[in-house]
Amino acid sequence: MKKELLSGNEAIARGAYEAGIAMAVSYPGTPATEILEYLAAGFPVEAQWTTNEKVALETAIGVSYTGRRALCSMKHVGLNVAADPLMTAAYLGIRGGLVLVVADDPGAYSSQNEQDSRFYARFARIPCLEPADAAQAHLMVREAFELSEKISRPVMLRSVTRLSHGRSPVEIGAPRSPAPPDLKKDPARMIAVPSHVLAAHRDLLKQQPAIIEWGKGSGFNRIEKSAGQRRGVIACGVGAAYARETLGEDCALLQVGFYPLEPGLIKEFGEGLEEIWVVEEGEPLVEEMARCSFRNVRGKLSGDLPPVGELGPEPLAAIQKKEKPLSTPATSSPLPSRPPVMCAGCPHRELYLALKAAGPSFTAGDIGCYTLGASPPLSALDTCLCMGAGISQAAGIAHQGIRRVAAVIGDSTFIHSGIPALIGSVYNRANLLVLILDNASVAMTGHQPTPQTGIRADGRPGGQVDLEAICRACGVDSVTVLDPLRKEEMTRLLKEKLEADGVHVVISRRPCVFVGRRAVRPENGGGNKT
Amino acid sequence: MKTTSVLFAGVGGQGIVLASRILAQAAFESGLMVKETELHGMAQRGGSVISQVRFGFEVHSPLILRGEASRLVATEELEGLRYLDYLRPGARVILNRRRIAPAGGGDGYPSDTAEALEKRGFKVTAVPAPEAAREIGNPRIENTVLLGALSRHLDLPVAAWEKAIAALVPSRTLEVNLRAFRAGRRF
C-alpha cells in the first residue's frame, strides 16, 4: 500500500473518500477547514461549502436519507450552531452513514473559546471517536461510517488543532464507490413530533449497550499494563501520542479513542496502581469518570494539570521525571511582542479609520479577520462573542436609548448568522448602523469563496446572492455601498448614518488583497490527485 | 537513529508552513517516521509563528519538548530569539538575515541577534537569504535558501530534499527553488 504524508484533516478527508461518501459539506472554520478543501481540490466527491454549520449538518442528514454516506465537518464552536439538528438527529437516526467531524481548538489558537466537543457526543448519546494521529484518524473515519450505519445514528469524530494541523505518514487505501441514491419515507424516523419522539428517545437509550459493545471490539480503547507497574496514565486522543513519546516502561497506559467508555475499563486499568494520571485535551471528562472509581486520580480536577490551554506533551514529560507538571515555568520573554495584525493593504483597516473618525458610541464586532480591528492601534471594536452576535448585541444596546451604536460584520458572517439579527433589529425598530465588511471571501480561514461570489468550493460556478437585495428585503431604512478606500466620503456617510433614526446598512466593499490570487487554495501535501 | 527535532520560527506570511512541510516530506522520502505540526488561521496574520518537525525511527508526538530541539530555523531575526526554551544546549540556529519590525514599532529589537545567540551557547549559521534570493531572481525563495543551509546540518540525503521540494512547490518555480536550495548549501 502507498504511504503519504498527510495532515490530520487530509487523512480524515481521505478516509471519508475511501469510505464512499456521496457528499461532504461544511462551513469554513479553523482548524477544520482543510477537510473540505482537500476533498474539493482533489477528489471526485461532491464537496460543498454552505452558509453555516446548522445548514451543513441538515444537508448531510438529507444526503443520509437517500441511503448514501455523508461527511459533515466543522470547528468546535460550529457545533453550537449545529447542535439543534444534532440533538434530534441522534433520536431519529439516519440511513446512509453520517460522520460529523468536529475539530476542537485547545489553547484557542484561532477561536473564541476552547470548548470540548466530547460533551456534545455524550449529550446527544452518540458515539465519539478520538484519534491520536493522522494514520489513526484515517482508520477511525472509515470505522465511524461502518458504525454509523450499523447503529443508524450519526457518529462524531473529535479532532484537535494538533491533529488537524499535524502531518504524519498515512497508508492510503482504495476508495469504495458511493451507494446509488435510494430515498425512502419513514415517518417514525424522520418526523420529530411528540408521538414519535419518546419512542425514538427510548430506542436511543436502549442502543447504548450495543454502542459500548462495538467500542469494546474496536480496540480503540486499549490497556497496556504489566506486572509491577505502580503508575498509570489514561491518555485520550492525541494525549496517547504524547504518552508514548514521553513515558517509560514503568508506566501503564490506557489509550482512549472511543466514547462512551465501557463500564469497568477504568476499574480494570486502575486496579493495583498507586497513581493514575488522566491526560486529555479539553475538559476533565474522563478524569471525572476515573474519580468515581479511584481516589488516587491526578489531572485537571485534582489541580495537578493545567485546566486551561493546550496540554501538549510537557506535563507528561514532567510526570515521567516525577516532577510537578504545574511547576514548569512559563516562557517569559523580554522581547518585543508580535501579535497578529491585518495584512498590508487590507481594506478593513481603511474602513476602521473612517469609522473611528465618524465616532460611534459603541461598536459591536463579530468573527473574522476584521476582529483584529479590536487590537491596538485601531481599537475599533468593543465586542466579539460568536458568529453573528454583533448586530444583535448592538440592537440590545440601542434599545436602551443609547444612540450612535454600530455593528461590524463580515460578508460571510452576515450570511452565516447575521441576517436573522438584522431582521430582528428592523422588526423592533432599533436605531443602528450596520456595517457589512464585504471582502468577497472567508479570508481568515484561507480565502474560501462565499455565496456572493458565485464560486463553489471546487471552483465550479454556483448561484449568486446579492447582499444589497438581502438587506433591502430585510426592510432596513437604507443600504449604501461604498469603497473603504474613499475614506473621506466613507467618514461622512458613517457620521450621517450614525445620527439617523432606524436601521441603516453600509456595505464597505473591496475584495481581500489575496482574493483573485487564488480563489480555491490547493491543499496538497503528498501530491495526491485522484 | 535518535529522533531529530527541528523548530521553525518566523512571522506569519513568511512561508514557515511550506518550509516545515518540505523538511517533513524530505524525512518521509528518506523512509523515516515523521510528525510535523503547524498553525493556521488567526495565528498566521503577521504574528509570531512556529512550526515543528520531528523525525527518526520511532516518533509519536509532533510537539517538541522544552530543551529538545537540536536545530532552529529562524526566518526572521527577532523570532530567532523568542523560542530558545525549546532548544537544547549548543543547538544550531539557521538565522535568516532579515529583520521585520513588529507592528508596535521596533522598540527593544535586539541589535545583534547572532551575537545574542552565540552568547547563550548556540551555534549560528547566519544566512543572508534575502540577498541570495535576489541574486537568483525571486524574492519568494528565501526559505528554500534557508532549507539548503539547514540540510548541511541534518542527516538526510540531498535527493530526498530535492524530491520533497519538487512535491511541494508550484511546478513553475521548481527550477528556481532547486537553485535556491543549492545556494543555501554553501552557507
Side-chain angles (χ1 to χ4, degrees):
Chain A
M1 269 298 167
K2 198 180 156 212
K3 267 194 180 180
E4 286 186 15
L5 192 58
L6 298 182
S7 71
N9 279 347
E10 292 167 353
I12 288 165
R14 173 81 214 182
Y17 165 64
E18 289 172 17
I21 53 167
M23 194 161 131
V25 58
S26 181
Y27 180 82
T30 312
T33 312
E34 299 81 4
I35 299 170
L36 194 103
E37 278 192 328
Y38 192 62
L39 284 167
F43 295 91
V45 163
E46 175 78 18
Q48 298 184 352
W49 290 128
T50 189
T51 45
N52 68 36
E53 295 84 356
K54 171 175 147 68
V55 174
L57 182 53
E58 291 154 353
T59 306
I61 291 167
V63 175
S64 162
Y65 281 174
T66 70
R68 313 184 89 190
R69 291 183 167 183
L71 180 77
C72 181
S73 54
M74 58 190 64
K75 71 180 292 172
H76 59 335
V77 285
L79 187 51
N80 298 330
V81 180
D84 204 355
L86 175 68
M87 296 308 293
T88 306
Y91 275 26
L92 292 180
I94 47 91
R95 281 193 61 220
L98 173 55
V99 174
L100 170 65
V101 178
V102 187
D104 289 357
D105 191 13
Y109 289 99
S110 201
S111 303
Q112 62 269 41
N113 75 25
E114 44 175 9
Q115 70 186 50
D116 184 340
S117 299
R118 296 176 301 168
F119 284 84
Y120 266 116
R122 189 166 80 168
F123 192 17
R125 298 265 192 179
I126 58 167
C128 175
L129 288 85
E130 192 184 11
D133 66 4
Q136 199 181 30
H138 176 253
L139 170 69
M140 276 185 174
V141 76
R142 287 174 297 159
E143 292 288 316
F145 276 106
E146 296 297 323
L147 173 60
S148 172
E149 284 178 358
K150 191 178 158 71
I151 62 172
S152 302
R153 310 270 173 202
V155 171
M156 187 192 287
L157 184 132
R158 182 210 192 199
S159 181
V160 291
T161 302
R162 272 318 147 195
L163 172 71
S164 283
H165 293 160
R167 313 178 86 78
S168 56
V170 174
E171 207 164 276
I172 61 167
R176 83 178 227 190
S177 307
D182 170 31
L183 180 61
K184 284 190 185 131
K185 295 183 184 179
D186 184 357
R189 301 204 61 207
M190 289 184 180
I191 302 175
V193 289
S195 56
H196 297 159
V197 157
L198 294 187
H201 191 189
R202 197 168 292 120
D203 284 350
L204 173 64
L205 298 183
K206 256 169 58 186
Q207 212 176 25
Q208 296 302 308
I211 291 173
I212 288 169
E213 204 50 40
W214 187 93
K216 216 168 148 180
S218 72
F220 293 141
N221 296 338
R222 217 168 71 208
I223 292 177
E224 294 167 35
K225 191 178 171 189
S226 50
Q229 286 171 326
R230 297 279 168 79
R231 296 190 307 160
V233 170
I234 303 175
C236 308
V238 292
Y242 305 149
R244 289 187 194 286
E245 190 70 48
T246 48
L247 297 179
E249 281 177 1
D250 62 327
C251 208
L253 179 65
L254 167 54
Q255 176 172 356
V256 174
F258 182 85
Y259 310 86
L261 295 184
E262 53 178 290
L265 182 71
I266 291 175
K267 191 109 191 149
E268 181 191 340
F269 176 69
E271 216 63 68
L273 294 176
E274 284 166 11
E275 199 174 282
I276 303 162
W277 289 84
V278 184
V279 176
E280 50 195 328
E281 292 290 3
E283 299 293 320
L285 179 131
V286 172
E287 187 185 352
E288 228 169 51
M289 295 179 205
R291 283 164 75 98
C292 296
S293 305
F294 296 100
R295 284 186 183 184
N296 49 348
V297 176
R298 308 184 65 173
K300 297 178 181 185
L301 286 171
S302 69
D304 291 296
L305 292 176
V308 169
E310 185 184 26
L311 209 50
E314 212 72 55
L316 275 155
I319 294 168
Q320 179 61 26
K321 284 188 269 182
K322 303 204 162 117
E323 287 167 3
K324 279 206 169 79
L326 280 173
S327 67
T328 336
T331 315
S332 67
S333 161
L335 300 171
S337 67
R338 192 190 299 275
V341 289
M342 285 177 183
C343 308
C346 177
H348 296 333
R349 187 184 286 117
E350 305 307 313
L351 182 275
Y352 280 134
L353 291 173
L355 179 62
K356 291 203 65 152
S361 62
F362 193 91
T363 306
D366 226 296
I367 307 272
C369 282
Y370 51 96
T371 315
L372 292 169
S375 317
L378 285 167
S379 306
L381 297 178
D382 301 310
T383 72
C384 165
L385 180 66
C386 64
M387 291 286 283
I391 297 174
S392 344
Q393 288 179 314
I397 291 164
H399 285 310
Q400 309 317 306
I402 294 163
R403 298 302 305 254
R404 305 173 60 82
V405 174
V408 169
I409 186 167
D411 53 329
S412 185
T413 310
F414 178 69
I415 291 169
H416 177 283
S417 48
I419 296 169
L422 185 63
I423 294 173
S425 49
V426 167
Y427 174 50
N428 289 305
R429 296 194 178 282
N431 294 315
L432 192 61
L433 166 62
V434 175
L435 269 157
I436 303 178
L437 273 49
D438 177 11
N439 62 356
S441 165
V442 195
M444 179 60 96
T445 48
H447 317 103
Q448 290 75 28
T450 71
Q452 265 203 88
T453 63
I455 300 165
R456 300 170 68 190
D458 52 10
R460 285 182 302 162
Q464 207 168 352
V465 305
D466 178 337
L467 275 189
E468 295 96 298
I470 290 173
C471 294
R472 283 200 194 95
C474 291
V476 301
D477 295 287
S478 73
V479 182
T480 319
V481 182
L482 194 59
D483 182 343
L485 293 197
R486 292 159 74 174
K487 208 159 20 190
E488 277 171 28
E489 220 174 310
M490 180 65 89
T491 307
R492 269 201 308 278
L493 174 70
L494 298 182
K495 269 186 182 153
E496 177 200 322
K497 298 297 179 189
L498 279 170
E499 296 297 342
D501 284 341
V503 179
H504 297 270
V505 172
V506 171
I507 300 177
S508 170
R509 176 165 292 156
R510 176 161 279 268
C512 169
V513 286
F514 294 106
V515 167
R517 253 189 242 176
R518 45 176 193 183
V520 180
R521 181 170 60 165
E523 186 64 30
N524 194 349
N528 178 63
K529 292 271 180 240
T530 307
Chain B
M1 183 187 194
K2 277 191 72 177
T3 299
T4 304
S5 297
V6 182
L7 183 70
F8 289 77
V11 177
Q14 277 196 298
I16 288 216
V17 167
L18 179 60
S20 60
R21 281 185 194 176
I22 290 173
L23 169 58
Q25 189 74 25
F28 176 68
E29 300 284 355
S30 310
L32 297 169
M33 182 57 177
V34 57
K35 298 239 165 164
E36 181 257 14
T37 176
E38 59 204 35
L39 288 177
H40 298 196
M42 174 75 97
Q44 74 180 27
R45 297 272 177 264
S48 168
V49 290
I50 56 170
S51 281
Q52 311 181 38
V53 183
R54 301 181 74 247
F55 59 89
F57 289 144
E58 195 191 334
V59 185
H60 300 285
S61 165
L63 287 170
I64 298 171
L65 291 168
R66 289 209 181 96
E68 188 198 332
S70 59
R71 304 282 180 267
L72 163 67
V73 179
T75 57
E76 198 275 344
E77 292 191 24
L78 174 61
E79 299 311 313
L81 296 174
R82 204 183 292 283
Y83 302 97
L84 300 181
D85 279 12
Y86 288 93
L87 302 192
R88 69 171 57 162
R92 167 75 54 179
V93 180
I94 310 294
L95 181 70
N96 189 16
R97 283 304 196 184
R98 173 177 281 285
R99 296 161 73 90
I100 302 172
D107 286 0
Y109 197 121
S111 54
D112 193 334
T113 46
E115 193 186 66
L117 287 165
E118 275 164 355
K119 257 192 197 150
R120 296 189 56 169
F122 299 111
K123 299 187 205 81
V124 178
T125 304
V127 183
E131 281 88 73
R134 246 196 320 272
E135 270 169 36
I136 296 166
N138 186 337
R140 299 184 61 178
I141 53 169
E142 269 178 46
N143 290 357
T144 319
V145 176
L146 299 175
L147 289 175
L150 173 70
S151 71
R152 303 246 300 154
H153 300 281
L154 290 176
D155 195 12
L156 298 173
V158 170
W161 279 101
E162 294 187 344
K163 234 173 136 183
I165 292 168
L168 290 169
V169 305
S171 48
R172 66 196 148 72
T173 69
L174 174 58
E175 207 35 57
V176 75
N177 270 290
L178 288 176
R179 272 165 60 201
F181 180 77
R182 285 166 203 150
R185 285 183 62 81
R186 288 199 302 267
F187 293 102

